[in-house]
PDB file of all heavy atoms in Angstrom:
ATOM      1  N   THR A  19      -3.559  -3.099 -25.910  1.00 94.00           N
ATOM      2  CA  THR A  19      -5.033  -3.032 -25.829  1.00 94.00           C
ATOM      3  C   THR A  19      -5.510  -2.532 -24.445  1.00 94.00           C
ATOM      4  O   THR A  19      -6.706  -2.507 -24.166  1.00 94.00           O
ATOM      5  CB  THR A  19      -5.708  -4.379 -26.173  1.00 94.00           C
ATOM      6  OG1 THR A  19      -5.552  -5.317 -25.035  1.00 94.00           O
ATOM      7  CG2 THR A  19      -5.204  -4.974 -27.413  1.00 94.00           C
ATOM      8  N   ILE A  20      -4.566  -2.214 -23.540  1.00 94.00           N
ATOM      9  CA  ILE A  20      -5.049  -1.705 -22.158  1.00 94.00           C
ATOM     10  C   ILE A  20      -4.635  -0.262 -21.927  1.00 94.00           C
ATOM     11  O   ILE A  20      -5.514   0.611 -21.890  1.00 94.00           O
ATOM     12  CB  ILE A  20      -4.421  -2.655 -21.092  1.00 94.00           C
ATOM     13  CG1 ILE A  20      -5.010  -4.115 -21.229  1.00 94.00           C
ATOM     14  CG2 ILE A  20      -4.866  -2.099 -19.729  1.00 94.00           C
ATOM     15  CD1 ILE A  20      -4.467  -5.074 -20.282  1.00 94.00           C
ATOM     16  N   SER A  21      -3.412   0.035 -21.831  1.00 95.00           N
ATOM     17  CA  SER A  21      -2.986   1.416 -21.473  1.00 95.00           C
ATOM     18  C   SER A  21      -1.509   1.615 -21.658  1.00 95.00           C
ATOM     19  O   SER A  21      -0.705   0.682 -21.553  1.00 95.00           O
ATOM     20  CB  SER A  21      -3.376   1.735 -20.034  1.00 95.00           C
ATOM     21  OG  SER A  21      -3.222   3.137 -19.711  1.00 95.00           O
ATOM     22  N   SER A  22      -1.150   2.829 -21.951  1.00 96.00           N
ATOM     23  CA  SER A  22       0.266   3.240 -21.790  1.00 96.00           C
ATOM     24  C   SER A  22       0.437   3.900 -20.426  1.00 96.00           C
ATOM     25  O   SER A  22      -0.300   4.859 -20.078  1.00 96.00           O
ATOM     26  CB  SER A  22       0.622   4.300 -22.837  1.00 96.00           C
ATOM     27  OG  SER A  22       0.537   3.664 -24.124  1.00 96.00           O
ATOM     28  N   ILE A  23       1.347   3.347 -19.568  1.00 95.00           N
ATOM     29  CA  ILE A  23       1.432   3.755 -18.170  1.00 95.00           C
ATOM     30  C   ILE A  23       2.799   4.305 -17.816  1.00 95.00           C
ATOM     31  O   ILE A  23       3.853   3.636 -18.163  1.00 95.00           O
ATOM     32  CB  ILE A  23       1.178   2.515 -17.264  1.00 95.00           C
ATOM     33  CG1 ILE A  23      -0.132   1.776 -17.585  1.00 95.00           C
ATOM     34  CG2 ILE A  23       1.131   2.979 -15.826  1.00 95.00           C
ATOM     35  CD1 ILE A  23      -0.328   0.453 -16.927  1.00 95.00           C
ATOM     36  N   ALA A  24       2.796   5.528 -17.369  1.00 96.00           N
ATOM     37  CA  ALA A  24       4.074   6.193 -16.894  1.00 96.00           C
ATOM     38  C   ALA A  24       3.964   6.393 -15.408  1.00 96.00           C
ATOM     39  O   ALA A  24       2.947   6.821 -14.933  1.00 96.00           O
ATOM     40  CB  ALA A  24       4.310   7.462 -17.581  1.00 96.00           C
ATOM     41  N   TYR A  25       5.093   6.082 -14.727  1.00 96.00           N
ATOM     42  CA  TYR A  25       5.062   6.160 -13.232  1.00 96.00           C
ATOM     43  C   TYR A  25       6.422   6.791 -12.782  1.00 96.00           C
ATOM     44  O   TYR A  25       7.450   6.430 -13.310  1.00 96.00           O
ATOM     45  CB  TYR A  25       4.906   4.740 -12.617  1.00 96.00           C
ATOM     46  CG  TYR A  25       5.005   4.739 -11.110  1.00 96.00           C
ATOM     47  CD1 TYR A  25       3.941   5.081 -10.299  1.00 96.00           C
ATOM     48  CD2 TYR A  25       6.262   4.471 -10.527  1.00 96.00           C
ATOM     49  CE1 TYR A  25       4.114   5.063  -8.943  1.00 96.00           C
ATOM     50  CE2 TYR A  25       6.392   4.490  -9.156  1.00 96.00           C
ATOM     51  CZ  TYR A  25       5.339   4.802  -8.322  1.00 96.00           C
ATOM     52  OH  TYR A  25       5.484   4.877  -6.993  1.00 96.00           O
ATOM     53  N   ALA A  26       6.292   7.531 -11.670  1.00 97.00           N
ATOM     54  CA  ALA A  26       7.556   8.124 -11.082  1.00 97.00           C
ATOM     55  C   ALA A  26       7.235   8.280  -9.579  1.00 97.00           C
ATOM     56  O   ALA A  26       6.087   8.561  -9.184  1.00 97.00           O
ATOM     57  CB  ALA A  26       7.921   9.435 -11.703  1.00 97.00           C
ATOM     58  N   ASP A  27       8.368   8.159  -8.782  1.00 98.00           N
ATOM     59  CA  ASP A  27       8.194   8.425  -7.346  1.00 98.00           C
ATOM     60  C   ASP A  27       9.541   8.939  -6.812  1.00 98.00           C
ATOM     61  O   ASP A  27      10.597   8.772  -7.439  1.00 98.00           O
ATOM     62  CB  ASP A  27       7.630   7.282  -6.538  1.00 98.00           C
ATOM     63  CG  ASP A  27       8.586   6.091  -6.461  1.00 98.00           C
ATOM     64  OD1 ASP A  27       9.806   6.281  -6.470  1.00 98.00           O
ATOM     65  OD2 ASP A  27       8.129   4.916  -6.314  1.00 98.00           O
ATOM     66  N   GLY A  28       9.482   9.577  -5.667  1.00 98.00           N
ATOM     67  CA  GLY A  28      10.688  10.020  -4.978  1.00 98.00           C
ATOM     68  C   GLY A  28      10.517   9.787  -3.470  1.00 98.00           C
ATOM     69  O   GLY A  28       9.373  10.117  -2.966  1.00 98.00           O
ATOM     70  N   VAL A  29      11.498   9.210  -2.883  1.00 98.00           N
ATOM     71  CA  VAL A  29      11.429   8.893  -1.422  1.00 98.00           C
ATOM     72  C   VAL A  29      12.674   9.398  -0.741  1.00 98.00           C
ATOM     73  O   VAL A  29      13.824   9.069  -1.107  1.00 98.00           O
ATOM     74  CB  VAL A  29      11.250   7.382  -1.145  1.00 98.00           C
ATOM     75  CG1 VAL A  29      11.244   7.133   0.323  1.00 98.00           C
ATOM     76  CG2 VAL A  29       9.934   6.831  -1.806  1.00 98.00           C
ATOM     77  N   TYR A  30      12.479  10.245   0.283  1.00 98.00           N
ATOM     78  CA  TYR A  30      13.600  10.774   1.023  1.00 98.00           C
ATOM     79  C   TYR A  30      13.614  10.175   2.473  1.00 98.00           C
ATOM     80  O   TYR A  30      12.492  10.208   3.116  1.00 98.00           O
ATOM     81  CB  TYR A  30      13.494  12.317   1.161  1.00 98.00           C
ATOM     82  CG  TYR A  30      14.616  12.917   1.871  1.00 98.00           C
ATOM     83  CD1 TYR A  30      15.806  13.330   1.277  1.00 98.00           C
ATOM     84  CD2 TYR A  30      14.468  13.199   3.287  1.00 98.00           C
ATOM     85  CE1 TYR A  30      16.859  13.830   2.007  1.00 98.00           C
ATOM     86  CE2 TYR A  30      15.534  13.749   4.021  1.00 98.00           C
ATOM     87  CZ  TYR A  30      16.688  14.086   3.334  1.00 98.00           C
ATOM     88  OH  TYR A  30      17.754  14.612   4.087  1.00 98.00           O
ATOM     89  N   SER A  31      14.706   9.583   2.892  1.00 98.00           N
ATOM     90  CA  SER A  31      14.735   8.984   4.162  1.00 98.00           C
ATOM     91  C   SER A  31      15.958   9.487   4.867  1.00 98.00           C
ATOM     92  O   SER A  31      17.020   9.802   4.340  1.00 98.00           O
ATOM     93  CB  SER A  31      14.811   7.462   4.075  1.00 98.00           C
ATOM     94  OG  SER A  31      15.906   7.032   3.233  1.00 98.00           O
ATOM     95  N   LYS A  32      15.810   9.533   6.254  1.00 97.00           N
ATOM     96  CA  LYS A  32      16.879  10.127   7.038  1.00 97.00           C
ATOM     97  C   LYS A  32      16.901   9.377   8.392  1.00 97.00           C
ATOM     98  O   LYS A  32      15.846   9.093   9.011  1.00 97.00           O
ATOM     99  CB  LYS A  32      16.717  11.544   7.329  1.00 97.00           C
ATOM    100  CG  LYS A  32      17.738  12.297   8.143  1.00 97.00           C
ATOM    101  CD  LYS A  32      18.925  12.679   7.356  1.00 97.00           C
ATOM    102  CE  LYS A  32      19.973  13.551   8.152  1.00 97.00           C
ATOM    103  NZ  LYS A  32      21.118  13.808   7.339  1.00 97.00           N
ATOM    104  N   GLU A  33      18.146   8.965   8.826  1.00 94.00           N
ATOM    105  CA  GLU A  33      18.268   8.257  10.126  1.00 94.00           C
ATOM    106  C   GLU A  33      19.129   9.138  11.042  1.00 94.00           C
ATOM    107  O   GLU A  33      20.164   9.601  10.696  1.00 94.00           O
ATOM    108  CB  GLU A  33      18.965   6.906   9.901  1.00 94.00           C
ATOM    109  CG  GLU A  33      18.156   5.913   9.212  1.00 94.00           C
ATOM    110  CD  GLU A  33      18.766   4.481   9.310  1.00 94.00           C
ATOM    111  OE1 GLU A  33      19.693   4.245  10.110  1.00 94.00           O
ATOM    112  OE2 GLU A  33      18.337   3.698   8.466  1.00 94.00           O
ATOM    113  N   LEU A  34      18.536   9.398  12.227  1.00 92.00           N
ATOM    114  CA  LEU A  34      19.280  10.075  13.256  1.00 92.00           C
ATOM    115  C   LEU A  34      19.660   9.085  14.410  1.00 92.00           C
ATOM    116  O   LEU A  34      19.525   7.868  14.172  1.00 92.00           O
ATOM    117  CB  LEU A  34      18.382  11.230  13.807  1.00 92.00           C
ATOM    118  CG  LEU A  34      17.878  12.185  12.702  1.00 92.00           C
ATOM    119  CD1 LEU A  34      16.891  13.191  13.275  1.00 92.00           C
ATOM    120  CD2 LEU A  34      19.020  12.909  12.059  1.00 92.00           C
ATOM    121  N   GLU A  35      19.983   9.587  15.580  1.00 87.00           N
ATOM    122  CA  GLU A  35      20.423   8.612  16.636  1.00 87.00           C
ATOM    123  C   GLU A  35      19.346   7.523  17.004  1.00 87.00           C
ATOM    124  O   GLU A  35      19.593   6.422  16.863  1.00 87.00           O
ATOM    125  CB  GLU A  35      20.872   9.433  17.862  1.00 87.00           C
ATOM    126  CG  GLU A  35      21.556   8.521  18.824  1.00 87.00           C
ATOM    127  CD  GLU A  35      22.236   9.309  19.960  1.00 87.00           C
ATOM    128  OE1 GLU A  35      22.484  10.522  19.733  1.00 87.00           O
ATOM    129  OE2 GLU A  35      22.326   8.818  21.083  1.00 87.00           O
ATOM    130  N   ASN A  36      18.208   7.999  17.541  1.00 88.00           N
ATOM    131  CA  ASN A  36      17.165   7.106  17.875  1.00 88.00           C
ATOM    132  C   ASN A  36      15.898   7.338  17.069  1.00 88.00           C
ATOM    133  O   ASN A  36      14.843   6.757  17.296  1.00 88.00           O
ATOM    134  CB  ASN A  36      16.735   7.267  19.373  1.00 88.00           C
ATOM    135  CG  ASN A  36      17.854   6.843  20.273  1.00 88.00           C
ATOM    136  OD1 ASN A  36      18.457   5.775  20.038  1.00 88.00           O
ATOM    137  ND2 ASN A  36      18.091   7.511  21.352  1.00 88.00           N
ATOM    138  N   LEU A  37      16.086   8.128  15.991  1.00 95.00           N
ATOM    139  CA  LEU A  37      14.893   8.571  15.207  1.00 95.00           C
ATOM    140  C   LEU A  37      15.146   8.398  13.761  1.00 95.00           C
ATOM    141  O   LEU A  37      16.311   8.742  13.282  1.00 95.00           O
ATOM    142  CB  LEU A  37      14.550  10.008  15.590  1.00 95.00           C
ATOM    143  CG  LEU A  37      13.311  10.651  14.954  1.00 95.00           C
ATOM    144  CD1 LEU A  37      12.113  10.109  15.602  1.00 95.00           C
ATOM    145  CD2 LEU A  37      13.374  12.193  15.165  1.00 95.00           C
ATOM    146  N   SER A  38      14.159   7.978  12.989  1.00 97.00           N
ATOM    147  CA  SER A  38      14.306   8.010  11.567  1.00 97.00           C
ATOM    148  C   SER A  38      12.933   8.389  10.902  1.00 97.00           C
ATOM    149  O   SER A  38      11.900   8.178  11.576  1.00 97.00           O
ATOM    150  CB  SER A  38      14.744   6.689  11.076  1.00 97.00           C
ATOM    151  OG  SER A  38      13.832   5.636  11.282  1.00 97.00           O
ATOM    152  N   TYR A  39      13.056   8.983   9.741  1.00 97.00           N
ATOM    153  CA  TYR A  39      11.798   9.278   9.030  1.00 97.00           C
ATOM    154  C   TYR A  39      11.919   9.090   7.501  1.00 97.00           C
ATOM    155  O   TYR A  39      12.986   8.982   6.992  1.00 97.00           O
ATOM    156  CB  TYR A  39      11.355  10.771   9.367  1.00 97.00           C
ATOM    157  CG  TYR A  39      12.367  11.844   8.889  1.00 97.00           C
ATOM    158  CD1 TYR A  39      12.222  12.357   7.564  1.00 97.00           C
ATOM    159  CD2 TYR A  39      13.350  12.295   9.681  1.00 97.00           C
ATOM    160  CE1 TYR A  39      13.072  13.324   7.170  1.00 97.00           C
ATOM    161  CE2 TYR A  39      14.246  13.308   9.237  1.00 97.00           C
ATOM    162  CZ  TYR A  39      14.092  13.754   7.988  1.00 97.00           C
ATOM    163  OH  TYR A  39      14.971  14.733   7.552  1.00 97.00           O
ATOM    164  N   GLU A  40      10.783   9.042   6.873  1.00 98.00           N
ATOM    165  CA  GLU A  40      10.707   8.836   5.429  1.00 98.00           C
ATOM    166  C   GLU A  40       9.556   9.618   4.903  1.00 98.00           C
ATOM    167  O   GLU A  40       8.445   9.519   5.443  1.00 98.00           O
ATOM    168  CB  GLU A  40      10.613   7.302   5.257  1.00 98.00           C
ATOM    169  CG  GLU A  40      10.750   6.915   3.778  1.00 98.00           C
ATOM    170  CD  GLU A  40      10.701   5.457   3.594  1.00 98.00           C
ATOM    171  OE1 GLU A  40       9.700   4.848   3.905  1.00 98.00           O
ATOM    172  OE2 GLU A  40      11.775   4.890   3.213  1.00 98.00           O
ATOM    173  N   ILE A  41       9.704  10.276   3.809  1.00 98.00           N
ATOM    174  CA  ILE A  41       8.646  10.952   3.142  1.00 98.00           C
ATOM    175  C   ILE A  41       8.712  10.603   1.612  1.00 98.00           C
ATOM    176  O   ILE A  41       9.842  10.419   1.070  1.00 98.00           O
ATOM    177  CB  ILE A  41       8.577  12.474   3.324  1.00 98.00           C
ATOM    178  CG1 ILE A  41      10.012  13.046   2.889  1.00 98.00           C
ATOM    179  CG2 ILE A  41       8.258  12.796   4.789  1.00 98.00           C
ATOM    180  CD1 ILE A  41       9.974  14.586   2.969  1.00 98.00           C
ATOM    181  N   GLY A  42       7.543  10.528   0.951  1.00 98.00           N
ATOM    182  CA  GLY A  42       7.564  10.161  -0.435  1.00 98.00           C
ATOM    183  C   GLY A  42       6.434  10.800  -1.234  1.00 98.00           C
ATOM    184  O   GLY A  42       5.419  11.060  -0.627  1.00 98.00           O
ATOM    185  N   LEU A  43       6.649  10.974  -2.501  1.00 98.00           N
ATOM    186  CA  LEU A  43       5.597  11.422  -3.427  1.00 98.00           C
ATOM    187  C   LEU A  43       5.617  10.470  -4.624  1.00 98.00           C
ATOM    188  O   LEU A  43       6.660   9.936  -5.009  1.00 98.00           O
ATOM    189  CB  LEU A  43       5.910  12.872  -3.921  1.00 98.00           C
ATOM    190  CG  LEU A  43       5.918  13.958  -2.828  1.00 98.00           C
ATOM    191  CD1 LEU A  43       6.441  15.205  -3.445  1.00 98.00           C
ATOM    192  CD2 LEU A  43       4.537  14.143  -2.220  1.00 98.00           C
ATOM    193  N   GLN A  44       4.400  10.251  -5.237  1.00 98.00           N
ATOM    194  CA  GLN A  44       4.333   9.509  -6.399  1.00 98.00           C
ATOM    195  C   GLN A  44       3.285  10.047  -7.451  1.00 98.00           C
ATOM    196  O   GLN A  44       2.408  10.791  -7.053  1.00 98.00           O
ATOM    197  CB  GLN A  44       3.943   8.009  -6.047  1.00 98.00           C
ATOM    198  CG  GLN A  44       2.581   7.832  -5.466  1.00 98.00           C
ATOM    199  CD  GLN A  44       2.359   6.371  -5.069  1.00 98.00           C
ATOM    200  OE1 GLN A  44       1.273   6.133  -4.583  1.00 98.00           O
ATOM    201  NE2 GLN A  44       3.244   5.498  -5.297  1.00 98.00           N
ATOM    202  N   PHE A  45       3.532   9.648  -8.662  1.00 98.00           N
ATOM    203  CA  PHE A  45       2.590  10.039  -9.717  1.00 98.00           C
ATOM    204  C   PHE A  45       2.532   8.980 -10.772  1.00 98.00           C
ATOM    205  O   PHE A  45       3.604   8.361 -11.119  1.00 98.00           O
ATOM    206  CB  PHE A  45       3.079  11.377 -10.380  1.00 98.00           C
ATOM    207  CG  PHE A  45       2.321  11.770 -11.577  1.00 98.00           C
ATOM    208  CD1 PHE A  45       1.025  12.270 -11.455  1.00 98.00           C
ATOM    209  CD2 PHE A  45       2.844  11.554 -12.911  1.00 98.00           C
ATOM    210  CE1 PHE A  45       0.280  12.678 -12.570  1.00 98.00           C
ATOM    211  CE2 PHE A  45       2.111  11.902 -14.027  1.00 98.00           C
ATOM    212  CZ  PHE A  45       0.808  12.499 -13.822  1.00 98.00           C
ATOM    213  N   ALA A  46       1.379   8.726 -11.328  1.00 97.00           N
ATOM    214  CA  ALA A  46       1.248   7.799 -12.518  1.00 97.00           C
ATOM    215  C   ALA A  46       0.212   8.393 -13.440  1.00 97.00           C
ATOM    216  O   ALA A  46      -0.743   9.078 -13.029  1.00 97.00           O
ATOM    217  CB  ALA A  46       0.696   6.398 -11.986  1.00 97.00           C
ATOM    218  N   ASN A  47       0.447   8.097 -14.666  1.00 97.00           N
ATOM    219  CA  ASN A  47      -0.487   8.529 -15.795  1.00 97.00           C
ATOM    220  C   ASN A  47      -0.857   7.367 -16.673  1.00 97.00           C
ATOM    221  O   ASN A  47       0.089   6.622 -17.005  1.00 97.00           O
ATOM    222  CB  ASN A  47       0.132   9.655 -16.581  1.00 97.00           C
ATOM    223  CG  ASN A  47      -0.864  10.177 -17.636  1.00 97.00           C
ATOM    224  OD1 ASN A  47      -0.703   9.793 -18.787  1.00 97.00           O
ATOM    225  ND2 ASN A  47      -1.686  11.083 -17.303  1.00 97.00           N
ATOM    226  N   PHE A  48      -2.093   7.202 -16.923  1.00 96.00           N
ATOM    227  CA  PHE A  48      -2.581   6.111 -17.747  1.00 96.00           C
ATOM    228  C   PHE A  48      -3.225   6.607 -19.029  1.00 96.00           C
ATOM    229  O   PHE A  48      -4.118   7.536 -18.964  1.00 96.00           O
ATOM    230  CB  PHE A  48      -3.615   5.329 -17.012  1.00 96.00           C
ATOM    231  CG  PHE A  48      -3.105   4.690 -15.741  1.00 96.00           C
ATOM    232  CD1 PHE A  48      -2.980   5.430 -14.576  1.00 96.00           C
ATOM    233  CD2 PHE A  48      -2.767   3.344 -15.694  1.00 96.00           C
ATOM    234  CE1 PHE A  48      -2.499   4.800 -13.437  1.00 96.00           C
ATOM    235  CE2 PHE A  48      -2.261   2.746 -14.596  1.00 96.00           C
ATOM    236  CZ  PHE A  48      -2.091   3.482 -13.414  1.00 96.00           C
ATOM    237  N   GLY A  49      -2.761   6.122 -20.209  1.00 96.00           N
ATOM    238  CA  GLY A  49      -3.388   6.548 -21.485  1.00 96.00           C
ATOM    239  C   GLY A  49      -4.073   5.368 -22.022  1.00 96.00           C
ATOM    240  O   GLY A  49      -3.559   4.328 -22.435  1.00 96.00           O
ATOM    241  N   GLU A  50      -5.450   5.578 -22.168  1.00 96.00           N
ATOM    242  CA  GLU A  50      -6.266   4.443 -22.602  1.00 96.00           C
ATOM    243  C   GLU A  50      -6.025   3.977 -23.982  1.00 96.00           C
ATOM    244  O   GLU A  50      -5.761   4.703 -24.899  1.00 96.00           O
ATOM    245  CB  GLU A  50      -7.749   4.921 -22.515  1.00 96.00           C
ATOM    246  CG  GLU A  50      -8.791   3.890 -22.862  1.00 96.00           C
ATOM    247  CD  GLU A  50     -10.209   4.408 -22.772  1.00 96.00           C
ATOM    248  OE1 GLU A  50     -10.381   5.644 -22.785  1.00 96.00           O
ATOM    249  OE2 GLU A  50     -11.110   3.592 -22.756  1.00 96.00           O
ATOM    250  N   LEU A  51      -6.065   2.637 -24.160  1.00 96.00           N
ATOM    251  CA  LEU A  51      -5.886   2.025 -25.491  1.00 96.00           C
ATOM    252  C   LEU A  51      -7.145   1.131 -25.744  1.00 96.00           C
ATOM    253  O   LEU A  51      -7.567   0.356 -24.924  1.00 96.00           O
ATOM    254  CB  LEU A  51      -4.639   1.157 -25.523  1.00 96.00           C
ATOM    255  CG  LEU A  51      -3.288   1.868 -25.364  1.00 96.00           C
ATOM    256  CD1 LEU A  51      -2.141   0.912 -25.331  1.00 96.00           C
ATOM    257  CD2 LEU A  51      -3.079   2.916 -26.394  1.00 96.00           C
ATOM    258  N   ASP A  52      -7.661   1.157 -26.967  1.00 94.00           N
ATOM    259  CA  ASP A  52      -8.781   0.296 -27.393  1.00 94.00           C
ATOM    260  C   ASP A  52      -9.959   0.179 -26.439  1.00 94.00           C
ATOM    261  O   ASP A  52     -10.494  -0.870 -26.094  1.00 94.00           O
ATOM    262  CB  ASP A  52      -8.201  -1.130 -27.597  1.00 94.00           C
ATOM    263  CG  ASP A  52      -7.166  -1.259 -28.734  1.00 94.00           C
ATOM    264  OD1 ASP A  52      -6.995  -0.187 -29.374  1.00 94.00           O
ATOM    265  OD2 ASP A  52      -6.665  -2.244 -28.967  1.00 94.00           O
ATOM    266  N   VAL A  53     -10.406   1.401 -25.964  1.00 94.00           N
ATOM    267  CA  VAL A  53     -11.642   1.433 -25.139  1.00 94.00           C
ATOM    268  C   VAL A  53     -11.501   0.550 -23.875  1.00 94.00           C
ATOM    269  O   VAL A  53     -12.481  -0.170 -23.524  1.00 94.00           O
ATOM    270  CB  VAL A  53     -12.867   1.161 -25.974  1.00 94.00           C
ATOM    271  CG1 VAL A  53     -14.125   1.716 -25.190  1.00 94.00           C
ATOM    272  CG2 VAL A  53     -12.826   1.789 -27.324  1.00 94.00           C
TER     273      VAL A  53
END
Side-chain angles (χ1 to χ4, degrees):
T19 75
I20 298 177
S21 186
S22 295
I23 308 171
Y25 173 85
D27 68 30
V29 177
Y30 181 85
S31 57
K32 181 80 171 178
E33 289 191 18
L34 305 172
E35 188 171 338
N36 291 321
L37 183 74
S38 64
Y39 64 89
E40 188 175 66
I41 55 175
L43 298 172
Q44 65 183 178
F45 172 77
N47 182 263
F48 297 80
E50 181 181 18
L51 300 175
D52 293 357
V53 198

